[in-house]
């Protein structure tokens, strides 16, 4: 007797064919095929997922949810649990492309990573600029990486879904609240304290308790509730930026240079923020599209700077 | 809980071992399909996963069948078997020596109804490739199942697709996409020697000749041409 029916199959196949989906998209599919909204029928929704995962465990796969580290949005995806001979086939990326990706992610983890310099395959040395650009585009399209509002490169949803154990092994510190890797998280203002918490976890806690107190050292955190109105769409020429210690991945451009200076100046004020992008308002998907197309232009302008950023890093 | 112990006892493996093998085969199929963008997987590759560690002669077939069932039950994918074809010109030469079974290969096909698939599952980022595939197969079909390379490009040119075009805004390198269709076994290439030397022909291959696919292509063509599907074959 079949355990799963076509409705379960739709949910699984949609994630396999389309890649990670936002909660909204996934819920829309669920509502479409069952007639029930997961918001109001949480139990039924969970039931479906539970049944699916029981069957998927036969092949060491998992239907999982995670949060995008930059906007806190929930994504669903089917994830591989075991690294074996078969899963090693499961990629269209070549060896140098994967080395490139690894370097970017390790870079974005910055000093948090304990990983030594990665072994660099010989093929990577011949990796040209345009190959790097193409790889970058492909990685963003497949959601392994993402473009952030301030035109940096961030860790994408796919990486968060699939690479959980890798981050753990690289000893990326976890968020105190949700225990997921704190790739983009706020540090405790107390300099001796290593506690970190995601912005969206802070939001939740603040709305529950009205105040944020460090669970480890009892320091009170300065907390800014997120703005109610989304900021106007920012393009690269304008827009106030909350400061960020710029990582090695920031693309350069004449108009951006002043912005970077501003970032560096105010860096000291806002030293509690860690990670590789700034924290602006809710990015709309339109904004991402704006950013993406403009980023393409930028690669052309300052290619030598870009080149320097992407040479394999001796971390 | 289908058949009890008898099934695997004849193979001298435990249930856990059997499950592990089936899972490996399924994972291989899923990951390989992703890696090669839907090119058929040879039966030999799947058998090897089994024979690597187990010697029983009939075990691979049993495991592949189990994998077929599980793929359908868990994912709603059909493991479709295709018989690898040889191009028609070489077939004539071989008629006298019918060797054994030609290699079998597999693709996975969703078992969901078409409207459901289109509404929820289809990845719109790849529909341009599906569309192109359909166009090319239709052209070859309307040419009688086989077409000279030059003719194919003649027709594609009328749609703005050129053989030398490497930067088509949607398809990129157009010739490369046609090559992909050959790798995915929708088409096969055949060199025919004629009075003017050898000509390259494109022929429909097993994936395009597969029953359901072929039927639907005829339906769509007839819709476009607005004639009955029976007349489409007569060309």
């Amino acid at each position: 007797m079949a355990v799963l029916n076509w409705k379960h199959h739709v949910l699984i196949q949609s994630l396999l064919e389309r890649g990670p989906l936002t909660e909204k998209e996934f819920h829309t599919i669920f509502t479409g095929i069952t007639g029930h909204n997961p918001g109001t029928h949480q139990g039924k929704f969970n039931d479906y997922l539970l049944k699916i995962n029981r069957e998927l465990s036969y092949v060491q796969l998992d239907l999982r949810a995670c949060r995008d580290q930059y906007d806190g949005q929930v994504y669903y995806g089917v994830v591989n649990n075991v690294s074996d001979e078969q899963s090693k086939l499961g990629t269209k990326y070549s060896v140098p492309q994967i080395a490139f990706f690894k370097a970017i992610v390790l870079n974005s983890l910055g000093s948090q990573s304990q990983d030594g310099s990665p072994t660099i395959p010989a093929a990577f040395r011949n990796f040209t600029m345009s190959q790097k650009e193409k790889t970058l585009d492909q990685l963003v399209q497949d959601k392994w990486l993402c473009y952030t509002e301030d035109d940096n490169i961030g860790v994408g949803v796919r990486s968060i879904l699939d690479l959980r154990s890798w981050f753990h092994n690289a000893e990326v510190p976890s968020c105190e609240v949700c225990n997921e890797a704190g790739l983009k998280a706020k540090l405790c203002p107390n300099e001796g304290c290593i506690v970190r918490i995601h912005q969206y976890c802070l939001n939740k806690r603040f709305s529950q308790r009205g105040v944020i107190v460090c669970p480890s050292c009892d320091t009170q955190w300065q907390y800014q509730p997120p703005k109610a109105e989304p900021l106007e769409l920012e393009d690269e020429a304008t827009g106030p930026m909350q400061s960020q210690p710029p990582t090695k991945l920031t693309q350069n451009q004449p108009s951006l240079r002043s912005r970077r200076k501003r970032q560096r100046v105010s860096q000291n004020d806002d030293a509690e923020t860690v990670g590789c992008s700034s924290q602006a308002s809710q990015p709309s998907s339109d904004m991402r599209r704006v950013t993406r197309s403009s980023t393409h232009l930028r690669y052309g302008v300052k290619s030598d700077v870009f080149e320097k950023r992407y040479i394999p890093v001796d971390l | 809980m289908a058949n009890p112990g008898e099934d695997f006892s004849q193979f001298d493996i435990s249930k856990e071992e059997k499950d592990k093998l089936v899972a490996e085969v399924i994972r291989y199929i899923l990951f390989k399909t992703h890696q090669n963008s839907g090119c058929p997987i040879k039966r030999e590759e799947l058998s090897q996963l089994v024979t690597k560690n187990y010697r029983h002669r009939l075990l691979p077939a049993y495991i592949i069948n189990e994998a077929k069932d599980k793929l359908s039950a868990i994912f709603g994918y059909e493991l479709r078997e295709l018989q690898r074809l040889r191009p028609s010109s070489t077939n004539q030469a071989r008629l006298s020596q019918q060797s054994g079974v030609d290699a079998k290969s597999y693709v996975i096909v969703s078992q969901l109804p078409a409207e459901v698939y289109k509404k929820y599952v289809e990845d719109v980022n790849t529909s341009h490739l599906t569309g192109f595939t359909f166009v090319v197969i239709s052209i070859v079909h309307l040419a009688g199942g086989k077409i000279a390379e030059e003719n194919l490009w003649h027709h594609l040119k009328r749609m703005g697709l050129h053989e030398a075009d490497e930067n088509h805004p949607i398809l990129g390198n157009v010739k490369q996409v046609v090559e992909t269709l050959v790798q995915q076994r929708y088409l096969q290439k055949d060199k025919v020697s004629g009075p003017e030397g050898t000509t390259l022909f494109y022929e429909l291959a097993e994936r395009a000749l597969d029953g359901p696919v072929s039927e639907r292509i005829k339906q769509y063509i007839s819709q476009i041409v607005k004639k009955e599907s029976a007349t489409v074959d007569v060309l």
Side-chain angles (χ1 to χ4, degrees):
Chain A
M1 182 152 145
V3 178
L4 300 181
N5 60 30
W6 68 273
K7 297 179 191 169
H8 302 98
H9 293 155
V10 168
L11 292 170
I12 297 174
Q13 287 189 24
S14 63
L15 289 173
L16 287 176
E17 301 291 323
R18 294 164 63 181
L21 296 174
T22 61
E23 189 172 39
K24 189 164 172 231
E25 289 166 327
F26 199 59
H27 283 188
T28 311
I29 298 177
F30 187 81
T31 313
I33 55 180
T34 63
H36 296 289
N37 189 329
T40 48
H41 289 82
Q42 188 74 31
K44 192 167 174 110
F45 182 65
N46 289 340
D47 208 41
Y48 264 76
L49 295 192
L50 199 56
K51 252 190 170 163
I52 288 174
N53 273 327
R54 257 195 224 122
E55 296 303 305
L56 283 178
S57 65
Y58 188 83
V59 282
Q60 291 101 46
L61 298 175
D62 219 4
L63 203 170
R64 212 182 272 176
C66 76
R67 278 191 193 271
D68 180 313
Q69 303 252 334
Y70 301 98
D71 58 14
Q73 213 182 112
V74 176
Y75 281 81
Y76 285 92
V78 173
V79 176
N80 175 36
N81 277 335
V82 172
S83 168
D84 60 4
E85 285 308 310
Q86 285 76 44
S87 62
K88 284 188 189 135
L89 299 169
T91 178
K92 289 190 208 178
Y93 293 103
S94 65
V95 171
Q97 285 178 317
I98 296 178
F100 183 50
F101 167 68
K102 234 175 156 177
I104 295 178
V105 175
L106 288 173
N107 226 326
S108 76
L109 297 178
S111 54
Q112 299 163 30
S113 168
Q114 304 280 337
D115 210 19
S117 47
T119 45
I120 297 151
F124 192 47
R125 295 204 180 91
N126 296 327
F127 221 39
T128 65
M129 255 302 286
S130 70
Q131 278 175 317
K132 285 174 190 164
E133 283 178 28
K134 271 201 191 128
T135 304
L136 205 52
D137 278 345
Q138 190 62 43
L139 286 167
V140 172
Q141 200 178 356
D142 288 342
K143 298 201 171 97
W144 290 104
L145 298 174
C146 62
Y147 293 122
T148 59
E149 300 99 56
D150 57 350
D151 306 320
N152 284 336
I153 297 178
V155 174
V157 174
R158 201 75 186 270
S159 302
I160 298 173
L161 277 171
D162 272 84
L163 301 177
R164 200 196 262 169
S165 58
W166 189 54
F167 290 134
H168 187 73
N169 290 339
E171 294 184 18
V172 176
S174 322
C175 165
E176 282 298 309
V177 172
C178 70
N179 217 29
E180 293 285 332
L183 295 162
K184 196 227 173 257
K186 297 232 175 222
L187 285 172
C188 179
N190 179 351
E191 280 183 13
C193 181
I194 54 158
V195 160
R196 58 187 70 219
I197 302 181
H198 294 122
Q199 181 64 44
Y200 45 82
C201 294
L202 283 175
N203 296 346
K204 206 157 122 191
R205 201 159 254 201
F206 186 79
S207 64
Q208 286 167 348
R209 302 184 191 180
V211 71
I212 310 263
V213 174
C214 176
S216 152
C217 69
D218 280 340
T219 325
Q220 180 146 357
W221 287 40
Q222 288 170 351
Y223 174 71
Q224 263 178 327
K227 294 192 175 66
E229 248 92 53
L231 293 178
E232 282 179 27
L233 287 184
E234 300 180 40
D235 63 61
E236 60 273 33
T238 65
M241 300 299 295
Q242 289 185 18
S243 62
Q244 269 301 310
T247 68
K248 295 175 192 153
L249 295 170
T250 310
Q251 292 104 34
N252 231 337
Q253 206 201 12
S255 63
L256 260 190
R257 229 180 250 139
S258 53
R259 202 203 242 175
R260 286 195 71 202
K261 277 208 191 106
R262 254 186 285 141
Q263 286 181 349
R264 254 186 233 117
V265 163
S266 44
Q267 183 182 329
N268 301 326
D269 302 330
D270 204 7
E272 71 243 24
T273 316
V274 175
C276 55
S277 82
S278 76
Q279 160 77 41
S281 64
Q282 302 104 35
S284 65
S285 54
D286 289 335
M287 185 132 95
R288 285 229 172 87
R289 245 175 260 141
V290 168
T291 312
R292 195 176 303 150
S293 57
S294 53
T295 316
H296 282 290
L297 290 172
R298 213 164 291 124
Y299 292 170
V301 171
K302 274 288 179 183
S303 52
D304 58 329
V305 175
F306 189 94
E307 178 72 51
K308 286 191 189 99
R309 303 280 182 255
Y310 284 102
I311 298 236
V313 178
D314 299 314
L315 287 171
Chain B
M1 283 301 170
N3 310 311
E6 294 147 283
D7 273 330
F8 12 95
S9 67
Q10 61 168 305
F11 298 115
D12 202 21
I13 57 171
S14 65
K15 182 171 185 305
E16 288 74 31
E17 286 175 294
K18 185 236 354 167
D19 283 340
K20 187 160 180 289
L21 280 172
V22 175
E24 261 177 48
V25 168
I26 294 177
R27 282 166 65 83
Y28 183 86
I29 293 171
L30 290 174
F31 286 120
K32 199 86 206 288
T33 300
H34 173 76
Q35 183 196 50
N36 60 24
S37 310
C39 298
I41 300 174
K42 298 200 184 80
R43 189 185 167 95
E44 222 174 271
E45 293 173 42
L46 300 180
S47 306
Q48 242 173 39
L49 292 172
V50 179
T51 57
K52 189 168 57 172
N53 290 322
Y54 297 91
R55 275 203 220 115
H56 199 295
R57 202 172 37 93
L58 296 174
L59 189 57
Y62 173 73
I63 296 289
I64 293 178
N65 270 330
E66 281 282 301
K68 206 178 278 191
D69 289 339
K70 278 285 182 187
L71 262 174
S72 179
I74 302 177
F75 295 92
Y77 284 136
E78 181 192 344
L79 188 67
R80 192 154 195 87
E81 191 173 281
L82 304 169
Q83 205 80 16
R84 192 179 171 91
L85 288 181
R86 302 204 182 272
S88 53
S89 61
T90 56
N91 254 340
Q92 258 129 48
R94 274 173 163 269
L95 267 177
S96 45
Q97 16 161 331
Q98 274 295 314
S99 52
V101 182
D102 278 329
K104 289 189 197 169
S105 57
Y106 296 98
V107 288
I108 47 176
V109 180
S110 171
Q111 290 169 315
L112 296 170
E115 326 81 53
V116 172
Y117 185 88
K118 183 173 164 167
K119 196 167 175 195
Y120 300 114
V121 178
E122 179 170 21
D123 182 9
V124 294
N125 296 323
T126 54
S127 353
H128 58 290
L129 293 170
T130 319
F132 183 73
T133 307
F134 169 68
V135 165
V136 173
I137 296 180
S138 311
I139 294 175
V140 182
H141 192 93
L142 287 168
K146 192 169 178 175
I147 191 173
E149 187 181 17
E150 210 183 302
N151 271 339
L152 177 64
W153 285 109
H154 168 76
H155 289 290
L156 290 176
K157 208 175 289 181
R158 297 170 77 195
M159 287 181 268
L161 302 166
H162 302 272
E163 190 172 354
D165 192 355
E166 285 178 28
N167 288 308
H168 190 270
I170 298 174
L171 293 173
N173 185 332
V174 186
K175 193 158 166 93
Q176 185 60 48
V177 184
V178 175
E179 256 327 287
T180 312
L181 293 184
V182 176
Q183 282 167 6
Q184 290 174 330
R185 301 302 298 168
Y186 284 108
L187 297 176
Q188 57 187 349
K189 290 201 245 187
D190 190 20
K191 283 204 167 73
V192 177
S193 25
E196 288 142 31
T198 48
T199 328
L200 185 66
F201 273 81
Y202 284 106
E203 227 183 328
L204 294 180
E206 56 262 28
R207 202 121 178 236
L209 293 171
D210 189 38
V213 175
S214 185
E215 273 314 301
R216 278 209 292 274
I217 291 179
K218 287 190 204 158
Q219 273 176 30
Y220 293 141
I221 295 178
S222 65
Q223 268 176 31
I224 295 171
V225 178
K226 289 200 171 72
K227 294 196 171 88
E228 281 175 322
S229 50
T231 61
V232 174
D233 278 313
V234 179
L235 276 163

